Amino acid sequence: MSSSAENNTSQSVSSFFRSDLGIFESTHNIIYISNNIKTRTKEEEMTICRTLPLLLSAAAMSLATTATPSLAFLTAAAAHRHHRRHGQAAPPSSPPPRMAAESEVSFSDDLDGSSLRIGVLRTRWNDEHVSNLVEGIKAGVGGCKVADENIFVKEVPGAYELPYAAKLLAMSGTVDAIVCCGVLIKGETLHFEYISSAVASGIMNVNLSTTTPVVYGVLNCLDEGQVRRRSSDRDGGHNHGVDWGKTAVEMAILRREAFAKGGTTTGGVKVKDMEKLGFGVAPREGVEKTKPGFF
Protein backbone atom coordinates (compact mmCIF):
# COMPACT_ATOMS: atom_id res chain seq x y z
CA MET A 1 0.00 0.00 0.00
CA SER A 2 1.48 3.36 -0.98
CA SER A 3 2.07 5.85 1.81
CA SER A 4 0.56 8.66 -0.27
CA ALA A 5 -2.75 6.77 -0.55
CA GLU A 6 -2.82 6.14 3.19
CA ASN A 7 -2.03 9.77 4.00
CA ASN A 8 -4.57 11.16 1.53
CA THR A 9 -7.28 8.85 2.83
CA SER A 10 -6.54 9.68 6.46
CA GLN A 11 -6.63 13.38 5.66
CA SER A 12 -10.01 12.97 3.96
CA VAL A 13 -11.44 11.15 6.98
CA SER A 14 -9.93 13.60 9.45
CA SER A 15 -11.25 16.59 7.52
CA PHE A 16 -14.80 15.31 8.01
CA PHE A 17 -14.45 15.11 11.76
CA ARG A 18 -12.84 18.54 12.01
CA SER A 19 -15.53 20.22 9.95
CA ASP A 20 -18.47 22.06 11.52
CA LEU A 21 -20.40 21.20 8.35
CA GLY A 22 -19.43 17.54 8.34
CA ILE A 23 -22.21 16.33 6.10
CA PHE A 24 -21.21 18.67 3.28
CA GLU A 25 -17.50 17.93 3.76
CA SER A 26 -17.96 14.17 3.74
CA THR A 27 -20.33 14.28 0.78
CA HIS A 28 -17.77 16.28 -1.18
CA ASN A 29 -15.09 13.72 -0.32
CA ILE A 30 -17.29 10.81 -1.38
CA ILE A 31 -18.08 12.44 -4.73
CA TYR A 32 -14.42 13.29 -5.30
CA ILE A 33 -13.26 9.75 -4.50
CA SER A 34 -15.96 8.18 -6.67
CA ASN A 35 -15.06 10.37 -9.63
CA ASN A 36 -11.35 9.64 -9.37
CA ILE A 37 -11.27 6.00 -8.26
CA LYS A 38 -10.52 4.73 -11.77
CA THR A 39 -7.45 6.94 -12.08
CA ARG A 40 -5.78 5.53 -8.96
CA THR A 41 -3.50 2.53 -8.51
CA LYS A 42 -4.89 -0.78 -7.31
CA GLU A 43 -3.39 -0.25 -3.84
CA GLU A 44 -5.03 3.15 -3.60
CA GLU A 45 -8.35 1.69 -4.74
CA MET A 46 -8.17 -0.92 -1.97
CA THR A 47 -7.49 1.78 0.60
CA ILE A 48 -10.39 3.86 -0.67
CA CYS A 49 -12.76 0.89 -0.67
CA ARG A 50 -11.98 0.31 3.01
CA THR A 51 -12.40 3.98 3.85
CA LEU A 52 -15.48 4.79 1.78
CA PRO A 53 -17.92 2.96 4.14
CA LEU A 54 -16.55 5.03 7.04
CA LEU A 55 -17.19 8.26 5.16
CA LEU A 56 -20.70 7.13 4.19
CA SER A 57 -21.42 6.14 7.78
CA ALA A 58 -20.11 9.47 9.04
CA ALA A 59 -22.28 11.35 6.56
CA ALA A 60 -25.35 9.40 7.67
CA MET A 61 -24.50 10.09 11.31
CA SER A 62 -24.23 13.80 10.58
CA LEU A 63 -27.69 13.74 9.05
CA ALA A 64 -29.01 11.95 12.13
CA THR A 65 -27.48 14.48 14.48
CA THR A 66 -29.18 17.37 12.70
CA ALA A 67 -32.53 15.72 13.44
CA THR A 68 -31.60 14.45 16.91
CA PRO A 69 -29.12 16.71 18.74
CA SER A 70 -28.80 14.21 21.60
CA LEU A 71 -26.93 11.85 19.19
CA ALA A 72 -24.21 14.39 18.48
CA PHE A 73 -21.81 12.74 20.92
CA LEU A 74 -21.81 9.56 18.80
CA THR A 75 -20.03 11.33 15.94
CA ALA A 76 -17.30 12.57 18.28
CA ALA A 77 -16.94 9.10 19.80
CA ALA A 78 -16.56 7.56 16.33
CA ALA A 79 -13.84 10.09 15.50
CA HIS A 80 -11.88 9.24 18.64
CA ARG A 81 -12.20 5.50 18.00
CA HIS A 82 -10.93 5.96 14.42
CA HIS A 83 -7.86 7.92 15.51
CA ARG A 84 -7.06 5.54 18.38
CA ARG A 85 -7.25 2.61 15.95
CA HIS A 86 -4.69 4.29 13.68
CA GLY A 87 -2.47 5.50 16.50
CA GLN A 88 -3.24 9.14 15.91
CA ALA A 89 -4.08 11.91 18.32
CA ALA A 90 -7.73 12.94 18.24
CA PRO A 91 -8.22 16.13 16.20
CA PRO A 92 -9.18 19.27 18.10
CA SER A 93 -12.87 19.94 17.92
CA SER A 94 -13.91 23.10 16.11
CA PRO A 95 -15.57 25.69 18.33
CA PRO A 96 -19.34 25.76 17.79
CA PRO A 97 -20.98 28.88 16.40
CA ARG A 98 -21.88 31.42 19.04
CA MET A 99 -25.54 31.65 19.95
CA ALA A 100 -27.04 34.93 21.07
CA ALA A 101 -27.84 35.26 24.76
CA GLU A 102 -30.59 37.82 24.27
CA SER A 103 -34.23 36.77 24.24
CA GLU A 104 -36.19 36.79 21.01
CA VAL A 105 -39.52 36.04 22.70
CA SER A 106 -42.04 38.77 23.41
CA PHE A 107 -44.80 38.58 26.01
CA SER A 108 -48.06 40.45 26.37
CA ASP A 109 -48.13 43.24 28.92
CA ASP A 110 -51.60 42.05 29.92
CA LEU A 111 -50.55 38.74 31.49
CA ASP A 112 -52.41 38.62 34.82
CA GLY A 113 -51.20 35.95 37.21
CA SER A 114 -52.71 37.49 40.32
CA SER A 115 -54.74 34.33 41.00
CA LEU A 116 -51.97 31.85 40.08
CA ARG A 117 -49.53 29.82 42.13
CA ILE A 118 -46.18 29.03 40.55
CA GLY A 119 -43.80 26.30 41.70
CA VAL A 120 -40.08 26.62 41.05
CA LEU A 121 -37.93 23.49 41.25
CA ARG A 122 -34.24 24.37 41.28
CA THR A 123 -30.98 22.45 41.55
CA ARG A 124 -28.24 22.93 44.11
CA TRP A 125 -25.68 21.99 41.48
CA ASN A 126 -24.13 25.13 39.93
CA ASP A 127 -25.74 27.06 42.77
CA GLU A 128 -24.51 30.55 41.87
CA HIS A 129 -25.88 30.50 38.35
CA VAL A 130 -29.09 28.72 39.28
CA SER A 131 -29.74 31.24 42.08
CA ASN A 132 -29.44 34.06 39.53
CA LEU A 133 -31.91 32.30 37.26
CA VAL A 134 -34.36 31.78 40.12
CA GLU A 135 -34.23 35.50 40.86
CA GLY A 136 -35.03 36.08 37.21
CA ILE A 137 -37.98 33.68 37.41
CA LYS A 138 -39.34 35.51 40.44
CA ALA A 139 -38.96 38.82 38.63
CA GLY A 140 -40.74 37.42 35.59
CA VAL A 141 -43.75 36.04 37.44
CA GLY A 142 -43.81 39.06 39.74
CA GLY A 143 -44.06 41.29 36.70
CA CYS A 144 -47.19 39.33 35.79
CA LYS A 145 -48.82 40.19 39.13
CA VAL A 146 -48.13 36.87 40.86
CA ALA A 147 -47.95 37.55 44.60
CA ASP A 148 -44.70 36.70 46.41
CA GLU A 149 -46.53 34.29 48.71
CA ASN A 150 -47.74 32.37 45.66
CA ILE A 151 -44.22 31.66 44.39
CA PHE A 152 -42.77 28.50 45.91
CA VAL A 153 -39.19 27.30 45.55
CA LYS A 154 -37.98 23.77 46.27
CA GLU A 155 -34.43 22.47 45.88
CA VAL A 156 -33.29 19.15 44.45
CA PRO A 157 -29.67 17.94 44.18
CA GLY A 158 -29.21 18.09 40.41
CA ALA A 159 -30.90 18.37 37.04
CA TYR A 160 -31.54 14.63 36.78
CA GLU A 161 -33.92 14.87 39.76
CA LEU A 162 -36.00 17.69 38.27
CA PRO A 163 -38.51 15.58 36.25
CA TYR A 164 -39.38 13.35 39.21
CA ALA A 165 -39.90 16.31 41.54
CA ALA A 166 -41.96 18.03 38.84
CA LYS A 167 -44.19 14.95 38.47
CA LEU A 168 -44.84 14.87 42.22
CA LEU A 169 -45.64 18.56 42.33
CA ALA A 170 -47.88 18.39 39.27
CA MET A 171 -49.84 15.48 40.72
CA SER A 172 -50.31 17.34 44.01
CA GLY A 173 -52.59 19.80 42.18
CA THR A 174 -51.37 22.70 44.30
CA VAL A 175 -49.75 24.87 41.64
CA ASP A 176 -50.87 26.21 38.28
CA ALA A 177 -47.48 25.88 36.58
CA ILE A 178 -43.96 24.70 37.33
CA VAL A 179 -40.55 25.96 36.27
CA CYS A 180 -37.68 23.44 36.39
CA CYS A 181 -34.46 25.41 36.77
CA GLY A 182 -30.91 24.13 36.45
CA VAL A 183 -27.58 24.52 34.67
CA LEU A 184 -25.62 21.83 32.80
CA ILE A 185 -22.10 22.60 31.57
CA LYS A 186 -20.24 20.42 29.08
CA GLY A 187 -17.33 18.48 30.59
CA GLU A 188 -14.79 15.98 29.30
CA THR A 189 -17.09 12.96 29.39
CA LEU A 190 -20.48 12.08 27.88
CA HIS A 191 -22.25 12.85 31.17
CA PHE A 192 -23.47 16.18 29.79
CA GLU A 193 -25.14 14.63 26.74
CA TYR A 194 -26.86 11.85 28.65
CA ILE A 195 -28.18 14.10 31.42
CA SER A 196 -29.31 16.84 29.03
CA SER A 197 -31.27 14.37 26.92
CA ALA A 198 -32.83 12.60 29.92
CA VAL A 199 -33.89 15.82 31.65
CA ALA A 200 -35.44 17.34 28.53
CA SER A 201 -37.35 14.14 27.81
CA GLY A 202 -38.45 13.77 31.43
CA ILE A 203 -39.79 17.31 31.70
CA MET A 204 -41.68 16.93 28.42
CA ASN A 205 -43.22 13.70 29.71
CA VAL A 206 -44.51 15.50 32.81
CA ASN A 207 -46.12 18.10 30.56
CA LEU A 208 -47.85 15.48 28.47
CA SER A 209 -48.82 13.04 31.22
CA THR A 210 -50.32 15.61 33.60
CA THR A 211 -52.41 18.72 33.09
CA THR A 212 -49.85 21.05 34.66
CA PRO A 213 -47.53 23.15 32.44
CA VAL A 214 -43.86 22.51 33.20
CA VAL A 215 -41.37 25.00 31.78
CA TYR A 216 -37.95 23.76 30.72
CA GLY A 217 -35.66 26.19 32.51
CA VAL A 218 -32.38 24.31 32.17
CA LEU A 219 -29.37 25.92 30.52
CA ASN A 220 -27.22 23.53 28.48
CA CYS A 221 -23.95 25.34 27.84
CA LEU A 222 -20.42 24.54 26.72
CA ASP A 223 -18.67 26.78 29.25
CA GLU A 224 -19.33 29.12 32.16
CA GLY A 225 -19.11 32.18 29.94
CA GLN A 226 -22.18 31.05 28.06
CA VAL A 227 -23.96 30.42 31.36
CA ARG A 228 -23.15 33.89 32.70
CA ARG A 229 -24.50 35.58 29.58
CA ARG A 230 -27.77 33.65 29.99
CA SER A 231 -28.23 33.85 33.75
CA SER A 232 -27.43 37.51 34.35
CA ASP A 233 -28.17 40.88 32.78
CA ARG A 234 -24.61 42.05 33.44
CA ASP A 235 -22.12 42.72 30.63
CA GLY A 236 -24.74 42.60 27.90
CA GLY A 237 -26.21 39.28 29.00
CA HIS A 238 -29.85 38.35 29.53
CA ASN A 239 -31.32 36.43 32.46
CA HIS A 240 -33.48 33.80 30.79
CA GLY A 241 -35.20 33.15 34.09
CA VAL A 242 -37.36 36.22 33.45
CA ASP A 243 -38.68 34.65 30.25
CA TRP A 244 -39.27 31.31 31.93
CA GLY A 245 -41.32 32.97 34.65
CA LYS A 246 -43.50 34.77 32.13
CA THR A 247 -43.85 31.57 30.12
CA ALA A 248 -45.14 29.76 33.21
CA VAL A 249 -47.80 32.43 33.76
CA GLU A 250 -48.87 32.42 30.11
CA MET A 251 -49.17 28.63 30.01
CA ALA A 252 -51.05 28.52 33.32
CA ILE A 253 -53.56 31.01 31.95
CA LEU A 254 -53.86 28.97 28.74
CA ARG A 255 -54.56 25.83 30.77
CA ARG A 256 -57.15 27.56 32.90
CA GLU A 257 -58.94 28.93 29.85
CA ALA A 258 -58.93 25.48 28.22
CA PHE A 259 -60.53 23.85 31.25
CA ALA A 260 -63.05 26.66 31.67
CA LYS A 261 -64.61 25.72 28.34
CA GLY A 262 -66.25 22.32 28.50
CA GLY A 263 -64.61 20.97 31.62
CA THR A 264 -62.57 18.29 29.83
CA THR A 265 -58.96 17.74 28.89
CA THR A 266 -57.91 17.68 25.26
CA GLY A 267 -58.25 13.91 25.33
CA GLY A 268 -61.90 14.07 26.37
CA VAL A 269 -61.26 12.98 29.98
CA LYS A 270 -63.48 14.71 32.50
CA VAL A 271 -61.70 17.07 34.88
CA LYS A 272 -63.37 15.46 37.89
CA ASP A 273 -61.95 12.11 36.80
CA MET A 274 -58.49 13.61 36.58
CA GLU A 275 -58.91 14.98 40.09
CA LYS A 276 -59.59 11.51 41.41
CA LEU A 277 -56.27 10.38 39.94
CA GLY A 278 -54.45 13.20 41.71
CA PHE A 279 -53.60 15.30 38.66
CA GLY A 280 -53.58 19.09 38.86
CA VAL A 281 -56.73 20.77 37.60
CA ALA A 282 -57.93 24.32 37.26
CA PRO A 283 -59.07 25.70 40.62
CA ARG A 284 -62.77 26.06 41.24
CA GLU A 285 -64.28 29.18 42.73
CA GLY A 286 -64.25 29.17 46.51
CA VAL A 287 -61.74 26.30 46.78
CA GLU A 288 -58.44 27.30 48.33
CA LYS A 289 -55.29 25.42 47.45
CA THR A 290 -52.96 24.15 50.15
CA LYS A 291 -49.21 24.06 50.02
CA PRO A 292 -47.65 20.74 49.03
CA GLY A 293 -45.93 19.05 51.96
CA PHE A 294 -42.40 19.31 50.60
CA PHE A 295 -42.64 23.09 50.32
Side-chain angles (χ1 to χ4, degrees):
M1 182 185 301
S2 67
S3 59
S4 61
E6 184 70 30
N7 290 336
N8 290 339
T9 302
S10 297
Q11 289 172 3
S12 294
V13 175
S14 298
S15 67
F16 163 75
F17 291 112
R18 283 196 297 267
S19 174
D20 286 330
L21 300 174
I23 180 61
F24 301 108
E25 182 79 10
S26 59
T27 303
H28 169 78
N29 288 340
I30 292 168
I31 295 172
Y32 176 79
I33 290 171
S34 300
N35 289 339
N36 293 274
I37 193 168
K38 293 182 179 179
T39 66
R40 296 176 182 270
T41 66
K42 188 170 183 179
E43 288 182 343
E44 290 174 331
E45 288 179 10
M46 291 177 62
T47 301
I48 291 169
C49 288
R50 285 196 300 269
T51 308
L52 196 56
L54 177 60
L55 283 171
L56 289 168
S57 175
M61 180 61 69
S62 184
L63 278 175
T65 56
T66 60
T68 312
S70 62
L71 291 178
F73 70 91
L74 293 176
T75 302
H80 282 277
R81 283 197 301 271
H82 169 78
H83 283 81
R84 283 200 305 270
R85 190 179 300 118
H86 292 276
Q88 302 170 351
S93 58
S94 301
R98 278 199 163 192
M99 301 300 289
E102 64 271 10
S103 173
E104 296 182 1
V105 180
S106 61
F107 295 90
S108 170
D109 295 331
D110 299 327
L111 288 176
D112 186 356
S114 56
S115 61
L116 299 177
R117 303 182 76 176
I118 306 297
V120 180
L121 299 174
R122 55 149 297 168
T123 65
R124 291 194 296 276
W125 197 265
N126 290 315
D127 178 71
E128 176 186 354
H129 302 305
V130 176
S131 295
N132 289 337
L133 289 167
V134 170
E135 290 304 311
I137 294 170
K138 290 180 178 179
V141 298
C144 297
K145 305 178 184 178
V146 178
D148 289 342
E149 59 268 23
N150 285 332
I151 305 171
F152 306 105
V153 180
K154 174 65 179 178
E155 293 183 353
V156 296
Y160 195 78
E161 290 71 45
L162 287 171
Y164 178 70
K167 184 65 175 285
L168 293 179
L169 182 54
M171 293 183 68
S172 74
T174 55
V175 294
D176 296 286
I178 302 168
V179 182
C180 289
C181 184
V183 170
L184 292 169
I185 303 175
K186 171 66 178 171
E188 297 179 349
T189 69
L190 298 181
H191 182 267
F192 172 84
E193 286 82 359
Y194 283 116
I195 297 299
S196 296
S197 178
V199 173
S201 176
I203 291 176
M204 177 57 74
N205 283 336
V206 178
N207 272 285
L208 299 179
S209 63
T210 73
T211 61
T212 302
V214 184
V215 177
Y216 183 80
V218 180
L219 291 180
N220 304 82
C221 298
L222 299 179
D223 54 58
E224 281 206 78
Q226 291 182 350
V227 178
R228 292 190 185 95
R229 290 192 294 273
R230 290 158 176 80
S231 61
S232 170
D233 293 328
R234 295 189 295 271
D235 299 325
H238 173 70
N239 191 328
H240 288 291
V242 176
D243 300 328
W244 300 337
K246 293 180 179 180
T247 298
V249 172
E250 182 173 333
M251 296 307 294
I253 293 173
L254 177 68
R255 168 179 172 267
R256 181 172 291 186
E257 290 175 346
F259 283 154
K261 298 176 181 179
T264 63
T265 68
T266 55
V269 181
K270 294 293 185 182
V271 171
K272 62 180 181 181
D273 293 332
M274 297 297 288
E275 280 188 294
K276 292 177 182 178
L277 295 175
F279 290 96
V281 296
R284 294 185 297 275
E285 292 296 329
V287 177
E288 183 178 354
K289 293 183 179 180
T290 58
K291 290 184 180 181
F294 54 80
F295 278 130

